[in-house]
Amino acid sequence: MNPILTLLKNFLSRKKVVGNVTELQGMAKADAILTALVNEHKVPGISITVLEQGEVLLQKGYGYADLDQRTRIDPTKTIFRIASVSKPIAATALAHMVNEGIMDLDTSFYEYVPYFPKKPWDFTIRQLAGHTAGIRGYRGKEYGLNESYSIKESIAIFKDDDLLFQPGTDYHYNSFDWILISLAMQEVSGIAFEDYVKQKVLVPLGMNHTFVEYPPNHSFWTTDDRRTSINFNLTTFYSKNRHGFRKSIPVNNYYKMAGGGYLSTAEDIAKLGQAYLDGKIVDREIVSQFLTSGKINGNPTYYGLGWEVSEDKRGRPFYGHIGNGVGGYSNFFVYPEQQMVFAILVNRTDPKVQTELDKVVDILSNLHASRIL
């Protein structure tokens, strides 16, 4: 068979057909890297969606959503834990709340949640969103708690602890910041955080396969412990030890949905990135605040408000997020100059494959560069 036709055959029909040998070779390299991650048993499965100029460049599933059932991955339907890629979703909802004048980024957190224990220093919503408020991160087993906390109940985990530093003087990435933001959003709006996110973000952007991971006893779940509408599309969540893949420990991520509790597909996450490229979120000046790196003593934190904001090794700016949670790992990158969006999801805890995923992103983003030279 003609080698070019062979390469084309290896991709799903939903992928945009590229038009020259150089592009095919690049696509084949990316495909080979992702295939190897599955074949070498580094990950059970991978889902990827890559958009360029709003069109699908690559959309494919690798490996399995469930190893026992040999369930293949569909990037349009297979639902993963996206871990901290939940933060850009929450940040988008916060941007809407700021745009509506319901919440002010530079107002004290205590204005919205006066019952939170007073600390020696005040801190703002902006400082929480940019991880400069001094709130601590996970300790010990807190990373994988399986407690049926509401958002309000969950602050008992850390509310009585000292701040790590005076707010605004340092940077410390954590997910508790976004628990506090989601609590403030609930208090000021009077509606559940997840309802506001659904109304302002998920429904308008057509993110129809993005959900909160509700506790097993929640009314939204069936007796099978899976939400009815996604009963056959949710991945099994895996970890790995020296004996191979095993099902991850049970966790309850509901209370930390804003920082790491959402479920989604690669296609849905790509929709979020495309909405930013298309200017479909809120006022440009507000969005700019979220997508601009903070600074401490003149040095960039490489983090905006709920978004990583940086440059790749070639000096190309991007914004997005990496997520790592129990049974899930995620990459989400938006390249504004290239008008490209990358969404890559894995159903394994901390698979240690970031180097390989970075290569895939680099190869595919270079296809754009080769076309304009």
Side-chain angles (χ1 to χ4, degrees), residues 149-167:
Y149 290 129
S150 66
I151 295 173
K152 187 172 183 179
E153 290 168 342
S154 75
I155 65 173
I157 301 169
F158 60 91
K159 68 181 179 67
D160 294 321
D161 294 319
D162 294 335
L163 298 182
L164 300 179
F165 47 79
Q166 182 176 346

Side-chain angles (χ1 to χ4, degrees), residues 186-197:
Q186 285 193 159
E187 293 287 4
V188 72
S189 68
I191 64 173
F193 171 77
E194 63 264 42
D195 291 342
Y196 187 84
V197 172

